[in-house]
Amino acid sequence: MLTPEQMRRIEPYFPLSHGMPRVDVRRVLSGIALVIRNGLRWRDSPSDYGPDKTIDNRFIRWSRLGVFNRILAELAAQGGETDNLMIDATHLKVHRTAARLLKKGLYPDVLDAAEAD
């Protein structure tokens, strides 16, 4: 799981809860990271991280709201200038259904960049 210090750094970027208290954000975010890092299906996530449907729904909702984009941009800005630049040349074959993610609006920055060209 994410450490309390890591969570404190990124907590301001998550939307506030409206109504019922939500499942622990730290636990769900750790589940999202585990699923993505290991290439798991949402339903294969360990129950320690909360219900798989909750993890899936939060990932979709937060992606649409641009939460992850804001977190990565802010953490990169805090890092300052670097002397090294690394490029990952990994090539992955994507399943044909992955194109639906763009249509569902999960990657709005990609669509905005394509429309700008």
Short mmCIF file of all heavy atoms in Angstrom, two decimals, residues 21-59:
data_model
loop_
_atom_site.label_atom_id
_atom_site.label_comp_id
_atom_site.label_asym_id
_atom_site.label_seq_id
_atom_site.Cartn_x
_atom_site.Cartn_y
_atom_site.Cartn_z
N PRO A 21 -19.84 8.29 3.42
CA PRO A 21 -18.38 8.17 3.45
C PRO A 21 -17.92 7.07 2.50
O PRO A 21 -18.55 6.03 2.39
CB PRO A 21 -18.07 7.79 4.89
CG PRO A 21 -19.34 7.74 5.63
CD PRO A 21 -20.46 7.98 4.67
N ARG A 22 -16.85 7.33 1.78
CA ARG A 22 -16.39 6.36 0.80
C ARG A 22 -15.36 5.42 1.40
O ARG A 22 -14.81 5.66 2.46
CB ARG A 22 -15.83 7.06 -0.42
CG ARG A 22 -14.65 7.93 -0.12
CD ARG A 22 -13.98 8.41 -1.37
NE ARG A 22 -14.69 9.51 -1.97
CZ ARG A 22 -14.13 10.37 -2.78
NH1 ARG A 22 -12.88 10.27 -3.09
NH2 ARG A 22 -14.82 11.34 -3.30
N VAL A 23 -15.09 4.35 0.65
CA VAL A 23 -14.05 3.40 1.03
C VAL A 23 -12.72 4.15 1.06
O VAL A 23 -12.51 5.09 0.30
CB VAL A 23 -14.01 2.25 0.00
CG1 VAL A 23 -12.89 1.28 0.31
CG2 VAL A 23 -15.34 1.53 -0.05
N ASP A 24 -11.83 3.75 1.94
CA ASP A 24 -10.53 4.38 2.14
C ASP A 24 -9.82 4.63 0.80
O ASP A 24 -9.52 3.70 0.05
CB ASP A 24 -9.68 3.49 3.03
CG ASP A 24 -8.32 4.07 3.34
OD1 ASP A 24 -8.16 5.31 3.23
OD2 ASP A 24 -7.42 3.30 3.70
N VAL A 25 -9.55 5.89 0.48
CA VAL A 25 -8.94 6.28 -0.80
C VAL A 25 -7.55 5.65 -0.94
O VAL A 25 -7.19 5.17 -2.01
CB VAL A 25 -8.84 7.82 -0.92
CG1 VAL A 25 -8.07 8.23 -2.15
CG2 VAL A 25 -10.21 8.43 -0.93
N ARG A 26 -6.79 5.62 0.13
CA ARG A 26 -5.44 5.05 0.09
C ARG A 26 -5.50 3.57 -0.31
O ARG A 26 -4.71 3.10 -1.12
CB ARG A 26 -4.79 5.21 1.45
CG ARG A 26 -3.42 4.62 1.55
CD ARG A 26 -2.82 4.93 2.92
NE ARG A 26 -1.71 4.05 3.17
CZ ARG A 26 -1.47 3.46 4.32
NH1 ARG A 26 -2.27 3.65 5.35
NH2 ARG A 26 -0.43 2.68 4.47
N ARG A 27 -6.44 2.85 0.26
CA ARG A 27 -6.58 1.43 -0.03
C ARG A 27 -6.99 1.20 -1.49
O ARG A 27 -6.43 0.36 -2.19
CB ARG A 27 -7.61 0.82 0.92
CG ARG A 27 -7.68 -0.68 0.88
CD ARG A 27 -8.56 -1.18 1.97
NE ARG A 27 -9.95 -0.98 1.57
CZ ARG A 27 -10.97 -1.56 2.16
NH1 ARG A 27 -10.77 -2.33 3.21
NH2 ARG A 27 -12.19 -1.35 1.75
N VAL A 28 -7.97 1.98 -1.97
CA VAL A 28 -8.44 1.83 -3.35
C VAL A 28 -7.34 2.22 -4.34
O VAL A 28 -7.11 1.53 -5.33
CB VAL A 28 -9.71 2.67 -3.58
CG1 VAL A 28 -10.09 2.70 -5.04
CG2 VAL A 28 -10.86 2.13 -2.74
N LEU A 29 -6.65 3.32 -4.08
CA LEU A 29 -5.58 3.75 -4.97
C LEU A 29 -4.45 2.72 -5.01
O LEU A 29 -3.89 2.46 -6.07
CB LEU A 29 -5.04 5.11 -4.51
CG LEU A 29 -4.02 5.76 -5.43
CD1 LEU A 29 -4.61 5.96 -6.83
CD2 LEU A 29 -3.57 7.07 -4.86
N SER A 30 -4.15 2.11 -3.89
CA SER A 30 -3.14 1.05 -3.87
C SER A 30 -3.61 -0.14 -4.70
O SER A 30 -2.81 -0.77 -5.40
CB SER A 30 -2.87 0.60 -2.42
OG SER A 30 -2.32 1.65 -1.67
N GLY A 31 -4.90 -0.45 -4.65
CA GLY A 31 -5.46 -1.52 -5.47
C GLY A 31 -5.37 -1.21 -6.95
O GLY A 31 -5.04 -2.08 -7.77
N ILE A 32 -5.64 0.05 -7.32
CA ILE A 32 -5.52 0.47 -8.72
C ILE A 32 -4.08 0.30 -9.19
O ILE A 32 -3.82 -0.24 -10.27
CB ILE A 32 -5.99 1.93 -8.90
CG1 ILE A 32 -7.51 2.03 -8.69
CG2 ILE A 32 -5.60 2.48 -10.26
CD1 ILE A 32 -8.03 3.45 -8.60
N ALA A 33 -3.14 0.75 -8.37
CA ALA A 33 -1.72 0.64 -8.74
C ALA A 33 -1.31 -0.82 -8.89
O ALA A 33 -0.59 -1.18 -9.83
CB ALA A 33 -0.85 1.32 -7.68
N LEU A 34 -1.79 -1.68 -8.01
CA LEU A 34 -1.46 -3.11 -8.08
C LEU A 34 -2.01 -3.73 -9.37
O LEU A 34 -1.30 -4.46 -10.06
CB LEU A 34 -2.03 -3.84 -6.87
CG LEU A 34 -1.79 -5.34 -6.89
CD1 LEU A 34 -0.48 -5.65 -6.20
CD2 LEU A 34 -2.93 -6.07 -6.21
N VAL A 35 -3.25 -3.43 -9.70
CA VAL A 35 -3.87 -4.00 -10.89
C VAL A 35 -3.14 -3.54 -12.15
O VAL A 35 -2.81 -4.34 -13.03
CB VAL A 35 -5.37 -3.61 -10.96
CG1 VAL A 35 -5.95 -3.91 -12.32
CG2 VAL A 35 -6.16 -4.34 -9.88
N ILE A 36 -2.84 -2.26 -12.24
CA ILE A 36 -2.19 -1.73 -13.44
C ILE A 36 -0.74 -2.22 -13.53
O ILE A 36 -0.28 -2.63 -14.59
CB ILE A 36 -2.26 -0.19 -13.45
CG1 ILE A 36 -3.72 0.22 -13.65
CG2 ILE A 36 -1.36 0.40 -14.52
CD1 ILE A 36 -3.96 1.69 -13.53
N ARG A 37 -0.03 -2.21 -12.42
CA ARG A 37 1.38 -2.63 -12.42
C ARG A 37 1.53 -4.10 -12.82
O ARG A 37 2.46 -4.46 -13.52
CB ARG A 37 1.99 -2.40 -11.04
CG ARG A 37 3.46 -2.78 -10.96
CD ARG A 37 4.05 -2.57 -9.59
NE ARG A 37 3.37 -3.42 -8.64
CZ ARG A 37 3.00 -3.04 -7.42
NH1 ARG A 37 3.23 -1.82 -7.01
NH2 ARG A 37 2.39 -3.87 -6.61
N ASN A 38 0.60 -4.94 -12.39
CA ASN A 38 0.71 -6.37 -12.65
C ASN A 38 -0.13 -6.86 -13.82
O ASN A 38 -0.15 -8.06 -14.10
CB ASN A 38 0.35 -7.16 -11.39
CG ASN A 38 1.35 -6.90 -10.27
OD1 ASN A 38 2.55 -7.01 -10.47
ND2 ASN A 38 0.85 -6.52 -9.12
N GLY A 39 -0.85 -5.95 -14.46
CA GLY A 39 -1.65 -6.34 -15.62
C GLY A 39 -2.81 -7.26 -15.27
O GLY A 39 -3.19 -8.12 -16.06
N LEU A 40 -3.36 -7.08 -14.09
CA LEU A 40 -4.48 -7.93 -13.65
C LEU A 40 -5.81 -7.42 -14.19
O LEU A 40 -5.93 -6.27 -14.60
CB LEU A 40 -4.56 -7.93 -12.11
CG LEU A 40 -3.33 -8.42 -11.36
CD1 LEU A 40 -3.55 -8.21 -9.86
CD2 LEU A 40 -3.07 -9.88 -11.65
N ARG A 41 -6.79 -8.28 -14.15
CA ARG A 41 -8.17 -7.84 -14.39
C ARG A 41 -8.67 -7.28 -13.06
O ARG A 41 -8.21 -7.65 -11.99
CB ARG A 41 -9.03 -9.02 -14.82
CG ARG A 41 -8.61 -9.60 -16.15
CD ARG A 41 -9.44 -10.79 -16.49
NE ARG A 41 -9.17 -11.85 -15.51
CZ ARG A 41 -9.67 -13.07 -15.57
NH1 ARG A 41 -10.48 -13.41 -16.53
NH2 ARG A 41 -9.36 -13.96 -14.66
N TRP A 42 -9.62 -6.36 -13.14
CA TRP A 42 -10.15 -5.75 -11.92
C TRP A 42 -10.67 -6.81 -10.97
O TRP A 42 -10.44 -6.73 -9.76
CB TRP A 42 -11.26 -4.75 -12.24
CG TRP A 42 -10.77 -3.58 -13.04
CD1 TRP A 42 -11.09 -3.29 -14.33
CD2 TRP A 42 -9.85 -2.56 -12.63
NE1 TRP A 42 -10.43 -2.16 -14.74
CE2 TRP A 42 -9.66 -1.69 -13.73
CE3 TRP A 42 -9.16 -2.31 -11.46
CZ2 TRP A 42 -8.83 -0.59 -13.66
CZ3 TRP A 42 -8.33 -1.20 -11.40
CH2 TRP A 42 -8.18 -0.36 -12.48
N ARG A 43 -11.35 -7.81 -11.49
CA ARG A 43 -11.95 -8.83 -10.62
C ARG A 43 -10.91 -9.73 -9.97
O ARG A 43 -11.23 -10.48 -9.06
CB ARG A 43 -12.97 -9.64 -11.39
CG ARG A 43 -12.41 -10.47 -12.50
CD ARG A 43 -13.50 -11.31 -13.12
NE ARG A 43 -12.98 -12.00 -14.29
CZ ARG A 43 -13.54 -12.00 -15.46
NH1 ARG A 43 -14.66 -11.35 -15.65
NH2 ARG A 43 -13.00 -12.65 -16.45
N ASP A 44 -9.65 -9.67 -10.44
CA ASP A 44 -8.59 -10.46 -9.83
C ASP A 44 -7.83 -9.70 -8.76
O ASP A 44 -6.86 -10.23 -8.20
CB ASP A 44 -7.60 -10.93 -10.92
CG ASP A 44 -8.23 -11.92 -11.88
OD1 ASP A 44 -9.21 -12.58 -11.49
OD2 ASP A 44 -7.75 -12.02 -13.02
N SER A 45 -8.25 -8.49 -8.45
CA SER A 45 -7.56 -7.72 -7.41
C SER A 45 -7.86 -8.34 -6.04
O SER A 45 -8.97 -8.80 -5.79
CB SER A 45 -8.00 -6.26 -7.44
OG SER A 45 -9.37 -6.16 -7.16
N PRO A 46 -6.85 -8.37 -5.16
CA PRO A 46 -7.07 -8.94 -3.83
C PRO A 46 -8.13 -8.15 -3.06
O PRO A 46 -8.22 -6.93 -3.18
CB PRO A 46 -5.70 -8.80 -3.16
CG PRO A 46 -4.72 -8.65 -4.27
CD PRO A 46 -5.47 -7.97 -5.37
N SER A 47 -8.90 -8.85 -2.26
CA SER A 47 -9.98 -8.20 -1.51
C SER A 47 -9.44 -7.25 -0.44
O SER A 47 -10.20 -6.44 0.09
CB SER A 47 -10.88 -9.26 -0.87
OG SER A 47 -10.13 -10.07 0.01
N ASP A 48 -8.14 -7.33 -0.14
CA ASP A 48 -7.54 -6.40 0.84
C ASP A 48 -7.68 -4.95 0.40
O ASP A 48 -7.62 -4.04 1.22
CB ASP A 48 -6.05 -6.69 1.02
CG ASP A 48 -5.79 -8.08 1.57
OD1 ASP A 48 -6.73 -8.70 2.09
OD2 ASP A 48 -4.63 -8.53 1.48
N TYR A 49 -7.82 -4.73 -0.91
CA TYR A 49 -7.89 -3.37 -1.45
C TYR A 49 -9.31 -2.87 -1.65
O TYR A 49 -9.51 -1.78 -2.16
CB TYR A 49 -7.13 -3.31 -2.78
CG TYR A 49 -5.67 -3.61 -2.62
CD1 TYR A 49 -5.16 -4.85 -2.97
CD2 TYR A 49 -4.80 -2.67 -2.07
CE1 TYR A 49 -3.81 -5.13 -2.80
CE2 TYR A 49 -3.47 -2.95 -1.89
CZ TYR A 49 -2.98 -4.19 -2.25
OH TYR A 49 -1.65 -4.47 -2.08
N GLY A 50 -10.28 -3.65 -1.26
CA GLY A 50 -11.67 -3.26 -1.40
C GLY A 50 -12.34 -4.04 -2.52
O GLY A 50 -11.69 -4.81 -3.24
N PRO A 51 -13.63 -3.84 -2.68
CA PRO A 51 -14.37 -4.55 -3.74
C PRO A 51 -13.82 -4.20 -5.12
O PRO A 51 -13.50 -3.04 -5.40
CB PRO A 51 -15.80 -4.04 -3.58
CG PRO A 51 -15.88 -3.46 -2.22
CD PRO A 51 -14.50 -2.98 -1.88
N ASP A 52 -13.71 -5.21 -5.99
CA ASP A 52 -13.15 -4.98 -7.33
C ASP A 52 -13.97 -3.97 -8.12
O ASP A 52 -13.43 -3.18 -8.89
CB ASP A 52 -13.01 -6.29 -8.10
CG ASP A 52 -14.33 -7.01 -8.29
OD1 ASP A 52 -14.89 -7.50 -7.30
OD2 ASP A 52 -14.78 -7.10 -9.44
N LYS A 53 -15.27 -3.95 -7.93
CA LYS A 53 -16.11 -3.00 -8.65
C LYS A 53 -15.82 -1.56 -8.19
O LYS A 53 -15.83 -0.63 -8.99
CB LYS A 53 -17.59 -3.35 -8.45
CG LYS A 53 -18.51 -2.65 -9.40
CD LYS A 53 -18.22 -3.08 -10.82
CE LYS A 53 -19.15 -2.37 -11.77
NZ LYS A 53 -18.73 -2.54 -13.15
N THR A 54 -15.55 -1.40 -6.91
CA THR A 54 -15.20 -0.08 -6.39
C THR A 54 -13.89 0.40 -6.99
O THR A 54 -13.77 1.56 -7.42
CB THR A 54 -15.08 -0.12 -4.85
OG1 THR A 54 -16.32 -0.52 -4.30
CG2 THR A 54 -14.68 1.22 -4.28
N ILE A 55 -12.90 -0.48 -7.05
CA ILE A 55 -11.60 -0.12 -7.62
C ILE A 55 -11.77 0.28 -9.08
O ILE A 55 -11.24 1.30 -9.52
CB ILE A 55 -10.61 -1.29 -7.46
CG1 ILE A 55 -10.34 -1.54 -5.97
CG2 ILE A 55 -9.31 -1.00 -8.19
CD1 ILE A 55 -9.55 -2.79 -5.70
N ASP A 56 -12.51 -0.51 -9.83
CA ASP A 56 -12.75 -0.24 -11.25
C ASP A 56 -13.49 1.09 -11.43
O ASP A 56 -13.09 1.94 -12.22
CB ASP A 56 -13.57 -1.39 -11.84
CG ASP A 56 -13.90 -1.20 -13.31
OD1 ASP A 56 -13.16 -0.50 -14.01
OD2 ASP A 56 -14.92 -1.75 -13.75
N ASN A 57 -14.57 1.29 -10.67
CA ASN A 57 -15.35 2.53 -10.79
C ASN A 57 -14.53 3.76 -10.45
O ASN A 57 -14.63 4.79 -11.11
CB ASN A 57 -16.59 2.47 -9.91
CG ASN A 57 -17.65 1.54 -10.46
OD1 ASN A 57 -17.67 1.22 -11.64
ND2 ASN A 57 -18.54 1.09 -9.59
N ARG A 58 -13.72 3.68 -9.40
CA ARG A 58 -12.91 4.83 -9.00
C ARG A 58 -11.87 5.15 -10.08
O ARG A 58 -11.61 6.31 -10.37
CB ARG A 58 -12.19 4.57 -7.68
CG ARG A 58 -13.09 4.47 -6.51
CD ARG A 58 -13.48 5.85 -5.96
NE ARG A 58 -14.47 5.69 -4.94
CZ ARG A 58 -14.20 5.38 -3.68
NH1 ARG A 58 -12.96 5.23 -3.28
NH2 ARG A 58 -15.18 5.23 -2.82
N PHE A 59 -11.25 4.11 -10.65
CA PHE A 59 -10.27 4.34 -11.70
C PHE A 59 -10.92 5.07 -12.88
O PHE A 59 -10.38 6.06 -13.38
CB PHE A 59 -9.65 3.03 -12.18
CG PHE A 59 -8.74 3.22 -13.36
CD1 PHE A 59 -7.49 3.80 -13.19
CD2 PHE A 59 -9.13 2.84 -14.62
CE1 PHE A 59 -6.65 4.00 -14.27
CE2 PHE A 59 -8.30 3.02 -15.71
CZ PHE A 59 -7.05 3.60 -15.53
#
